[in-house]
Amino acid sequence: MTTISTELGLADRKQATSQLFQKKKLINFGLPVIVLLYLAYVFVAFDISGLWGKVSVKNARTLVSDSYSYKTHVTRDNRDASVSVAIEGERKGRYPDGEAPAWVSLGETTSIDLENGHHVRFGPEVIEYDIPGYGLVTAKPGRTGVNATLPDGPVPNWINASKNRLAITTDAGRLTVTRNRTEVFRYFTGWELFFFTLDSPYHGMGPAKLLSHAVKGEAGAIFNDFWTNKMWRHQDVAWAILETLLMAFLGTLGAGIVALPLAFLATRNFMRISSVRFVVRRFFDFLRGVDSLIWTVVLSRAFGPGPLTGALAILVTDTGTFGKIFSEALENVDEKQIEGVQSTGASPLLQYRFGVIPQITPVLLSQLLYFLESNTRSATIIGAITGGGIGLLLTQAIITQKDWEEVAYYIVLIILMVMFMDWFSGWLRRKLIKGEEKKTKIKKSNAAKNAFLLP
């Protein structure tokens, strides 16, 4: 009987082992198949192939080049033959009447040298573009449209000619002729007028010359011209960054202040009434269940646009998140420390102050600092909706779809701001949390020494 039982036991174990291996094989081969099927579904459902077909490499290249370069526009009003030159086509970057860069010669016939043999001429009636390797293109704008004359042969794809418009795009620049206006623009690398505008006496000065003027007592004037730059608006940008940081700081700190006392009502060890715990926990779920962007839209209807609305949106959302985190930390506190403070005759408020808060302080500080860093990024998006901070300036620059170097400038500032907040929160976390841990270790060490010295 013993032998038969042993054999049956071995058979059962072999069968169980075989079933276990079969399950593992099924999992190892089944999961990859499920993932591949899901990816295939996503590829079809989201029309990935169609999206790839819509990609415009030319537009992407133009967008990238616009982010690190600027355009100088030479514009002719075909109604009165007046010519103006402006950087990025803006009035704030317009050259004074009668002045132009060296590659533009103003006169009865305005000559524009785009280099490498490309020349554009604005005549009294006819516009000419001499293109190396192709020939001379002429256009005569009038009331009936644009009468363009091209060299014999097929029209290349970089020329778009119709009755009302002529557009020529080459590596040297771009020419556009319509009935009312003729425009040539040329790309240059860099962010022109970033420091000083054309009307500033310090425009075009090198670092050495600027330094010499600053030493002579013009440092204040130099900084003022830079700070009040009308094109790049450094003063407005600095204030917008401060607004963004203020939204993140007020929202995060306010959420922590509101969530901490409410968290006591959501814990089993501090609130014995289950109905109260249930209501408070569902309240936290409701607050964090609605995204901060939704709260932004709702609160903007009540309080109007502005940084305060953004701060309130962050406060509401993070109150729910902090409430859950703080309540979980409170449920894991050591009851012995509370009993020790209670034995001294301390009131309940003092028991919480000296028996509970020190235990959860590292968690509180760590989460507050982490969310402060995270909310710095969120405040950028919220600011675009509520009308405040660097997010608003970024949205405005994107909507214009003209000065993408300005968009790049704002994105660089946002990245630097987030990097600074990351460093600052990490430094503060080390100072505060490790400082608390060091104090605790010193107290324990002193207590151990005193216990050793007792007779």
Side-chain angles (χ1 to χ4, degrees):
M1 291 291 295
T2 305
T3 306
I4 296 174
S5 300
T6 303
E7 290 179 354
L8 290 174
L10 289 172
D12 291 340
R13 277 180 287 206
K14 286 181 179 179
Q15 185 177 2
T17 304
S18 177
Q19 291 176 352
L20 180 62
F21 277 113
Q22 291 294 333
K23 288 181 180 179
K24 288 186 175 181
K25 287 181 180 179
L26 183 62
I27 292 173
N28 291 337
F29 289 102
L31 285 178
V33 171
I34 292 173
V35 172
L36 289 175
L37 289 174
Y38 176 73
L39 292 176
Y41 165 76
V42 169
F43 186 85
V44 175
F46 291 94
D47 192 20
I48 303 299
S49 59
L51 291 175
W52 181 255
K54 297 177 183 178
V55 173
S56 175
V57 178
K58 179 181 178 181
N59 291 342
R61 189 184 299 115
T62 301
L63 176 62
V64 172
S65 64
D66 278 348
S67 66
Y68 62 82
S69 61
Y70 68 95
K71 302 184 294 293
T72 300
H73 296 240
V74 184
T75 306
R76 178 185 188 271
D77 191 333
N78 295 332
R79 293 165 296 186
D80 58 11
S82 61
V83 177
S84 62
V85 183
I87 294 172
E88 290 295 349
E90 293 190 17
R91 290 186 177 181
K92 293 174 288 188
R94 183 172 178 175
Y95 281 82
D97 293 338
E99 294 185 18
W103 50 276
V104 178
S105 300
L106 299 176
E108 184 178 356
T109 297
T110 299
S111 179
I112 305 167
D113 183 8
L114 298 179
E115 292 189 346
N116 299 322
H118 290 260
H119 287 87
V120 178
R121 288 176 291 275
F122 293 167
E125 295 182 357
V126 179
I127 310 300
E128 298 179 346
Y129 187 178
D130 192 1
I131 306 173
Y134 180 69
L136 181 66
V137 178
T138 62
K140 185 177 181 180
R143 293 182 178 180
T144 59
V146 178
N147 184 16
T149 303
L150 306 177
D152 296 334
V155 179
N157 57 7
W158 41 269
I159 295 180
N160 185 1
S162 65
K163 180 180 178 181
N164 297 317
R165 184 173 181 269
L166 171 66
I168 303 175
T169 303
T170 64
D171 294 335
R174 179 184 174 93
L175 168 67
T176 303
V177 184
T178 61
R179 184 176 60 181
N180 297 323
R181 186 174 68 172
T182 300
E183 186 174 39
V184 172
F185 65 74
R186 180 180 173 187
Y187 275 100
F188 293 90
T189 303
W191 292 350
E192 181 67 356
L193 308 183
F194 182 79
F195 296 100
F196 307 105
T197 52
L198 292 170
D199 58 351
S200 171
Y202 306 105
H203 173 68
M205 289 188 181
K209 196 170 183 180
L210 280 174
L211 182 61
S212 66
H213 280 273
V215 171
K216 294 177 182 178
E218 299 181 30
I222 292 173
F223 177 77
N224 182 69
D225 276 17
F226 166 78
W227 191 242
T228 58
N229 188 311
K230 295 178 182 178
M231 284 195 67
W232 290 90
R233 302 188 298 169
H234 300 300
Q235 185 176 10
D236 296 337
V237 171
W239 176 246
I241 290 177
L242 289 177
E243 278 188 345
T244 302
L245 294 175
L246 186 63
M247 277 193 288
F249 178 77
L250 290 179
T252 307
L253 184 62
I257 294 174
V258 174
L260 183 57
L262 293 177
F264 282 93
L265 303 178
T267 57
R268 293 185 178 88
N269 47 345
F270 292 102
M271 173 49 65
R272 305 299 180 183
I273 305 174
S274 59
S275 59
V276 175
R277 293 199 307 269
F278 177 83
V279 171
V280 175
R281 288 181 178 180
R282 299 296 77 77
F283 177 67
F284 288 153
D285 293 339
F286 168 71
L287 293 181
R288 74 173 185 272
V290 181
D291 192 79
S292 58
L293 291 178
I294 306 300
W295 283 120
T296 301
V297 176
V298 173
L299 293 172
S300 63
R301 297 282 294 177
F303 299 98
L308 179 61
T309 303
L312 288 175
I314 295 174
L315 186 151
V316 171
T317 304
D318 284 1
T319 296
T321 306
F322 286 154
K324 177 178 176 58
I325 294 173
F326 294 171
S327 61
E328 291 177 350
L330 288 169
E331 287 184 343
N332 295 319
V333 296
D334 187 1
E335 297 289 342
K336 293 181 180 179
Q337 294 191 29
I338 304 175
E339 293 173 358
V341 177
Q342 187 179 10
S343 65
T344 64
S347 63
L349 184 62
L350 292 177
Q351 293 175 27
Y352 293 158
R353 166 65 182 84
F354 295 101
V356 178
I357 299 299
Q359 296 188 57
I360 64 172
T361 295
V363 176
L364 298 182
L365 293 176
S366 179
Q367 293 299 327
L368 282 172
L369 292 173
Y370 170 76
F371 275 85
L372 176 61
E373 173 196 340
S374 177
N375 287 334
T376 302
R377 297 187 296 271
S378 300
T380 302
I381 307 302
I382 290 174
I385 300 175
T386 61
I390 192 68
L392 176 62
L393 297 181
L394 178 62
T395 304
Q396 290 175 342
I398 291 175
I399 289 174
T400 60
Q401 295 186 358
K402 181 176 62 174
D403 300 340
W404 283 99
E405 68 273 16
E406 190 174 347
V407 175
Y409 174 45
Y410 296 149
I411 291 175
V412 168
L413 289 178
I414 291 171
I415 294 173
L416 292 176
M417 179 179 64
V418 172
M419 291 173 62
F420 169 77
M421 290 303 299
D422 180 30
W423 169 82
F424 177 73
S425 62
W427 174 81
L428 200 58
R429 188 183 296 112
R430 288 192 298 271
K431 289 292 182 181
L432 295 176
I433 296 177
K434 290 188 177 181
E436 292 289 337
E437 294 176 351
K438 187 175 181 180
K439 289 180 182 178
T440 304
K441 289 181 180 179
I442 292 174
K443 288 181 181 180
K444 289 182 179 179
S445 177
N446 291 337
K449 289 179 180 178
N450 293 334
F452 180 76
L453 294 174
L454 287 175

